[in-house]
Amino acid sequence: MTNPLPLVALASGPLHAVFAPTRGGRLLSLRTGDEELLWQNPTLVDAHLRPVVPVDTWPHGDGGMDSWANLGGSKTWPAPQGWSSADEWAGPPDPVLDSGPWAVVDHTDTAVTVRSAADPRTGLWIERAFAVTDGGLEERITFTNTGDRTTAWAPWEVCQVRTDDGGTVVVDGATLDDEVDLGTWEGQLTSRSGPGEVALPVATGVAKRGYRSGRAVTYRRASGTTLALSAADEPDDGSPFPDQGARFEVWLQRPVASPIAALDGLQPDAHLAELEVLGRRKPLAPTMSRTTIVQWTIRPAETAASLR
């Protein structure tokens, strides 16, 4: 039987990356050796990324958050997110940028470029170009305005990592003074200030925090392996970062017993965190493009230990 979830892979040494282009151009799996760094939804795919149930029976994303087929992995969305105006991205669920088919523009053993269809709501097409580097991956995110009016969208990388191992999320270089409370919906999240970082414990609730300062957002696995995401510096032209100036955001969740009404019926059922990197919200005229670079840095346990 043909795999109904087409996959595209990159490999170099111990690093293996797998993409699902027909599901929003996702980076679905990222491994160093035998260690998986990303979260995949076990109700949709198994450990070998094979669908557990036929793809055409997955939630269709035609309602609230409870209709979202959250496959996992990492994807690029436009920010700000919201539902009150055409200048906010009303997803997920979303049939184009989050879960629609993206084209594979180019692919080699160590690089891949995927591109969305033109999205009628935002006026964007999004291109994600990944290349293997010595320390992980370099991602080039390009937004192109295919509409007929000037818009202002910020690139927003949203990477879901598994936290069932009991690791810690840290925002390197951030301070509690620059923390933005974006909501707590279950449990309690208490951020901790450490030397040159803010640490967020996992499995303490369903919450989101933003940071106006920092160099990278990192998940430190219990094994000692770390995955860090950072964005190349953009010139300060006065264009703001979304969400009260947040350059980095962190979503933390644990399984809850019932849907959360304030989150449009979303019922978290897994231990995961989202490491989120945002660019500036710059005006983009019709036909124009902009590119943002996100660095993915992986330090296996033995390397991370030697740097401490």
Side-chain angles (χ1 to χ4, degrees):
M1 178 179 176
T2 303
N3 187 349
L5 183 65
L7 302 174
V8 173
L10 307 181
S12 178
L15 187 145
H16 294 262
V18 181
F19 297 79
T22 62
R23 303 302 297 187
R26 269 170 171 70
L27 170 57
L28 184 55
S29 171
L30 184 61
R31 289 178 174 268
T32 177
D34 293 329
E35 191 170 12
E36 175 65 68
L37 304 179
L38 305 187
W39 177 82
Q40 300 91 31
N41 189 333
T43 68
L44 299 179
V45 294
D46 64 18
H48 301 286
L49 308 182
R50 298 175 301 210
V52 173
V53 295
V55 173
D56 60 8
T57 68
W58 291 5
H60 294 295
D62 52 2
M65 288 291 287
D66 57 345
S67 73
W68 178 33
N70 179 16
L71 182 56
S74 190
K75 54 272 180 183
T76 301
W77 290 340
Q81 181 185 46
W83 293 264
S84 61
S85 77
D87 294 321
E88 298 172 322
W89 182 65
D94 169 86
V96 180
L97 300 180
D98 174 71
S99 60
W102 289 37
V104 179
V105 178
D106 190 30
H107 178 223
T108 68
D109 288 344
T110 57
V112 66
T113 300
V114 293
R115 182 184 299 162
S116 75
D119 177 40
R121 178 168 174 80
T122 62
L124 291 176
W125 67 245
I126 300 177
E127 185 175 276
R128 309 176 78 203
F130 285 84
V132 176
T133 66
D134 287 343
L137 296 168
E138 180 183 87
E139 176 186 10
R140 299 179 68 87
I141 300 168
T142 300
F143 279 12
T144 299
N145 185 350
T146 65
D148 57 5
R149 69 183 183 95
T150 296
T151 58
W153 298 103
W156 180 21
E157 187 67 21
V158 181
C159 173
Q160 293 184 322
V161 295
R162 345 173 12 188
T163 59
D164 53 342
D165 67 320
T168 305
V169 177
V170 298
V171 184
D172 302 286
T175 67
L176 288 177
D177 289 340
D178 284 328
E179 184 177 73
V180 180
D181 187 345
L182 297 173
T184 301
W185 296 274
E186 190 273 339
Q188 183 176 357
L189 174 64
T190 303
S191 308
R192 302 189 303 264
S193 180
E197 66 183 30
V198 172
L200 298 94
V202 302
T204 58
V206 179
K208 187 163 190 179
R209 299 291 184 267
Y211 297 89
R212 300 187 187 97
S213 62
R215 296 182 300 274
V217 57
T218 300
Y219 186 56
R220 293 177 181 160
R221 292 180 53 79
S223 68
T225 296
T226 65
L227 171 64
L229 274 67
S230 61
D233 289 336
E234 294 184 280
D236 185 358
D237 60 359
S239 300
F241 290 90
D243 296 339
Q244 304 176 56
R247 298 167 180 255
F248 301 98
E249 295 180 4
V250 178
W251 163 273
L252 287 166
Q253 72 171 57
R254 64 182 179 184
V256 300
S258 57
I260 299 174
L263 294 175
D264 200 21
L266 179 69
Q267 183 176 353
D269 60 1
H271 288 279
L272 65 84
E274 291 180 350
L275 313 179
E276 305 178 10
V277 179
L278 296 104
R280 293 183 182 274
R281 189 181 183 188
K282 296 183 179 183
L284 196 62
T287 75
M288 300 302 291
S289 299
R290 60 171 293 198
T291 297
T292 301
I293 299 174
V294 175
Q295 299 289 347
W296 297 62
T297 303
I298 300 167
R299 291 197 176 105
E302 59 274 14
T303 304
S306 69
L307 295 174
R308 286 200 286 268

